[in-house]
Amino acid sequence: MSWYTKAIEEKKPHRKTLWVHCKKCKSHIWGEEWEKNLNVCPNCNYHDTITSWQRIELLFDKGSFHELFENISPVDSLNFTDLKGSYKDKIQANKKKSGISESVITGHGKIKGFNVATAIMDFRFLGGSLGSGTGEKILQAANFAYDYGLPYIVFSASGGARMQEGVLSLMQMAKTCAGVARLNKKNIPFISVLLNPTTGGVTASYAMMGDLNISEPGAVIGFAGRRVIEQTIGEKLPDDFQTAEYLLEHGFIDSIVQRKDMRDYLANVLSYYNR
Amino acid sequence: MVVATGVKVIEKAKKQKLSHNSKTSKVSAWETVKISRHPQRPILQDYIQKVFTNFVELHGDRAFGDDTAIIGGFAQIGNQKVMLIGHNKGKNTTEHIERNFGMAKPEGYRKALRLMKLAQRFNLPIVTIIDTPGAFPGLEAEERGQAESIARNITEMANIEVPIISLVIGEGGSGGALGIGVGDRILMLSNAIYSVISPEGCASILWRDAKYAPDAAEALKITAQALLENNIIDEIIKEPAGGAHTDYEQMASEVNKVLLRNLKSLSNYSVAELLDMRFEKYSAMGKFAE
Ligand SMILES: [Zn+2]
């Protein structure tokens, strides 16, 4: 067992039930089958969330992934407290729950032999929200791509900016996009994979700025929240509103790729990078 | 398009000074929110009249339409020619509706980006004026790529080869503000606010009830003073006692002075220096443990 597989084993949360209840079609699927199918419902093709480490295992060549900037973690710089308690306590609880220290894992590795720098967001950690630590890691990984001339792939899964960090969080949109802007200037490819869900400030910054924007079936991708929009226009929105399929139709993403095909798809488009 | 005069409202505003206008009193974050949204608070169209001259408004995003929630064009401040771009909320119900309360749609952000590139072509510094509750949360805005338009502006502003000064005059509403806000200098009026989410929105999520907006306003650290202390903004422009709406002339003259000083200091840098400084500025944003 390589060190990284071991790390994945350690970080993988233990499955609590033998049966998985599909959030979309409500069918009960045998846990082992669910997992073997990469957390995708065999009945309705619903793509459930997976952890960053599961995605790394799925996409990268065995033993090729090296984590970078893993020591970066959030701080409660505003002493933010809401009704349910302090941000400081939330950080600790989320670290414990997820086994990771920020809402993104960054590093470099190989996809079918193609070297890339990467950032993989993890929805388990504070809803994948964009905090200062998240922004720092995404920028640092972009800078790594810049320095070594590697294509940069960011996998987003996020509810948006992290309210508990106030405008510090908002500014991470500018910070991460500054990294993307440098890659653009040096003609280094940036591939954005928008996963379920990618919303708010993450969609309105790096996640939409891919030279290629890719998604998984059914992923919710949008700027404003569905309820906010319904309140604004005073009517119910269509079911497919803000889905990957809707964005494809409106010209904002290049392709919707099944989870099981993602590794082959990415390797194939990387093979066209002729530099 | 007609830019309404602010004269009548000034007279009215002068009679309505807020109660906490003594220099020593500490204003709460929520009171600051209320001042920043005061119906008589000067808006971009007032500054166009009182701070700038020779405004040549330019319209349209060349793709879909002309968003009136964002105004832009050539303008002059003192002897300095600039590209002026900003949100405009409107002053009365008719104008509010016409301007969509300063909530821009994708075509507004795309017009802004077009004008920034035009500024680069003409070698003019850019002044952006921020005053919006947020980007418009509507069906057609999502359909046309609200997120993409803001993302593109934020990204491309990193490489715009002329100085950019961003001034928050009222509400700095989240991504809708940042979409024209990636400046080499970020300035704020002393009663302006800048927030990742509206206090009401934050309260309804984290407090489960919008009535906790005053608590959320405090917790979010959205005042100019708090943002200066957190190294987000560069300078605060002091408002007349009681708020900008109490004395348009004094407010305009302060804005004029501070903008000119910042324009002058930014004119000393080469393009390479400017872009490096901008990259370093935004790279340094945020606080985390390592
Ligand atoms: Zn299902």
Side-chain angles (χ1 to χ4, degrees):
Chain A
M1 189 188 279
S2 72
W3 69 268
Y4 94 103
T5 313
K6 194 160 160 279
I8 292 163
E9 288 301 326
E10 281 165 6
K11 282 167 183 175
K12 206 185 269 180
H14 293 290
R15 185 163 290 290
K16 288 185 192 89
T17 53
L18 291 173
W19 293 92
V20 176
H21 193 85
C22 174
K23 284 174 200 140
K24 197 179 168 200
C25 73
K26 316 288 181 208
S27 44
H28 290 264
I29 312 292
W30 183 239
E32 224 167 274
E33 193 193 353
W34 184 267
E35 210 163 276
K36 217 167 82 193
N37 210 34
L38 314 170
N39 289 20
V40 175
C41 178
N43 185 40
C44 73
N45 201 33
Y46 174 71
H47 280 54
D48 200 5
T49 49
I50 58 173
T51 70
S52 297
W53 286 107
Q54 283 173 315
R55 199 170 295 279
I56 289 163
E57 189 177 45
L58 185 64
L59 296 174
F60 287 84
D61 301 350
K62 283 254 172 296
S64 76
F65 182 80
H66 294 274
E67 191 175 2
L68 295 168
F69 323 115
E70 67 269 30
N71 293 330
I72 293 170
S73 68
V75 290
D76 181 13
S77 56
L78 303 185
N79 288 313
F80 192 99
T81 302
D82 59 40
L83 269 193
K84 282 193 280 177
S86 73
Y87 174 41
K88 201 182 213 159
D89 292 342
K90 270 193 196 129
I91 295 169
Q92 286 314 318
N94 275 272
K95 276 186 178 177
K96 214 176 148 194
K97 183 184 76 177
S98 64
I100 54 176
S101 52
E102 243 309 352
S103 60
V104 68
I105 303 279
T106 41
H108 65 95
K110 284 183 183 168
I111 298 176
K112 294 180 103 176
F114 294 103
N115 258 314
V116 298
T118 188
I120 305 117
M121 300 190 79
D122 199 314
F123 195 73
R124 288 175 307 160
F125 195 94
L126 287 161
S129 56
L130 176 59
S132 295
T134 322
E136 176 72 14
K137 289 179 89 171
I138 289 170
L139 174 67
Q140 290 287 348
N143 290 347
F144 186 88
Y146 183 88
D147 291 341
Y148 291 92
L150 297 175
Y152 188 33
I153 310 183
V154 177
F155 300 85
S156 296
S158 171
R162 190 175 296 167
M163 287 177 282
Q164 294 89 345
E165 293 190 18
V167 176
L168 292 168
S169 163
L170 183 72
M171 289 298 159
Q172 302 312 306
M173 294 166 67
K175 177 170 174 166
T176 51
C177 284
V180 173
R182 284 213 314 166
L183 295 180
N184 291 345
K185 225 175 175 181
K186 208 174 168 180
N187 281 323
I188 294 174
F190 169 47
I191 299 174
S192 174
V193 184
L194 300 95
L195 303 162
N196 188 42
T198 300
T199 59
V202 169
T203 318
S205 59
Y206 54 90
M208 263 297 154
M209 288 313 294
D211 298 310
L212 273 76
N213 291 337
I214 311 298
S215 190
E216 284 184 344
V220 169
I221 304 161
F223 176 65
R226 197 184 173 90
R227 247 178 307 159
V228 176
I229 299 170
E230 285 180 338
Q231 277 165 14
T232 309
I233 63 172
E235 55 188 281
K236 262 197 95 57
L237 292 162
D239 280 346
D240 74 334
F241 183 66
Q242 291 184 331
T243 59
E245 291 74 13
Y246 178 92
L247 268 86
L248 183 72
E249 191 189 320
H250 287 90
F252 292 103
I253 58 177
D254 290 281
S255 194
I256 297 170
V257 180
Q258 304 285 329
R259 184 169 293 163
K260 64 175 169 51
D261 302 328
M262 190 62 86
R263 177 172 148 86
D264 287 344
Y265 183 91
L266 290 173
N268 191 29
V269 295
L270 287 167
S271 78
Y272 283 88
Y273 180 43
N274 186 25
R275 207 177 277 271
Chain B
M1 181 187 316
V2 182
V3 175
T5 79
V7 180
K8 263 187 216 154
V9 279
I10 309 169
E11 295 309 318
K12 212 169 143 197
K14 274 179 181 164
K15 290 172 197 151
Q16 289 189 346
K17 286 198 180 190
L18 296 184
S19 54
H20 45 71
N21 60 357
S22 87
K23 277 174 193 154
T24 48
S25 72
K26 182 105 173 96
V27 179
S28 76
W30 185 242
E31 278 178 280
T32 308
V33 170
K34 288 196 280 189
I35 302 172
S36 76
R37 296 171 179 172
H38 195 282
Q40 271 91 48
R41 191 170 174 83
I43 61 172
L44 176 55
Q45 65 200 38
D46 301 308
Y47 292 103
I48 288 175
Q49 290 205 325
K50 297 196 176 293
V51 175
F52 298 90
T53 55
N54 193 23
F55 180 55
V56 181
E57 186 171 1
L58 303 168
H59 294 276
D61 71 343
R62 299 295 190 271
F64 178 80
D66 185 39
D67 188 345
T68 55
I70 287 184
I71 293 178
F74 298 120
Q76 204 169 319
I77 172 167
N79 290 320
Q80 176 71 56
K81 289 182 160 66
V82 301
M83 178 63 77
L84 177 66
I85 301 163
H87 304 104
N88 197 46
K89 286 177 169 177
K91 275 248 148 128
N92 51 51
T93 310
T94 317
E95 284 181 19
H96 285 155
I97 291 164
E98 194 183 291
R99 306 281 184 181
N100 202 24
F101 297 85
M103 294 187 286
K105 295 172 187 164
E107 51 272 25
Y109 293 104
R110 289 174 186 140
K111 170 168 75 176
L113 184 59
R114 180 175 82 82
L115 297 186
M116 288 187 242
K117 290 184 172 172
L118 188 62
Q120 182 172 299
R121 181 78 40 86
F122 278 62
N123 193 28
L124 294 172
I126 298 164
V127 175
T128 69
I129 303 288
I130 293 166
D131 190 15
T132 181
F136 183 60
L139 174 68
E140 73 275 38
E142 293 283 324
E143 208 168 35
R144 294 199 290 274
Q146 189 69 290
E148 191 273 346
S149 69
I150 292 171
R152 186 163 303 282
N153 282 20
I154 295 170
T155 306
E156 299 223 10
M157 284 180 90
N159 286 335
I160 291 283
E161 297 178 350
V162 292
I164 305 172
I165 296 174
S166 297
L167 166 62
V168 188
I169 57 168
E171 284 181 280
S174 197
L178 192 63
I180 59 166
V182 187
D184 300 298
R185 298 272 194 276
I186 309 174
L187 318 175
M188 276 178 85
L189 301 192
S190 50
N191 288 309
I193 56 161
Y194 202 170
S195 186
V196 66
I197 183 169
S198 73
E200 291 89 344
C202 181
S204 69
I205 297 168
L206 293 181
W207 276 260
R208 305 251 167 237
D209 192 336
K211 76 166 191 257
Y212 289 98
D215 298 273
E218 199 65 53
L220 285 164
K221 305 280 191 292
I222 59 178
T223 64
Q225 190 56 44
L227 292 163
L228 189 68
E229 284 161 15
N230 278 311
N231 302 317
I232 298 290
I233 65 165
D234 300 284
E235 187 174 343
I236 297 172
I237 305 180
K238 205 168 161 6
E239 294 183 25
H245 59 282
T246 60
D247 192 338
Y248 276 35
E249 298 303 329
Q250 194 193 328
M251 189 70 261
S253 111
E254 278 301 306
V255 167
N256 181 295
K257 212 168 63 190
V258 176
L259 283 181
L260 278 172
R261 170 163 48 73
N262 279 286
L263 283 165
K264 186 154 189 284
S265 78
L266 285 171
S267 69
N268 297 324
Y269 300 103
S270 69
V271 170
E273 285 170 333
L274 196 66
L275 296 189
D276 279 350
M277 271 172 20
R278 201 177 296 155
F279 183 72
E280 292 307 323
K281 178 184 179 68
Y282 287 92
S283 290
M285 293 272 188
K287 287 176 186 168
F288 51 88
E290 211 166 359

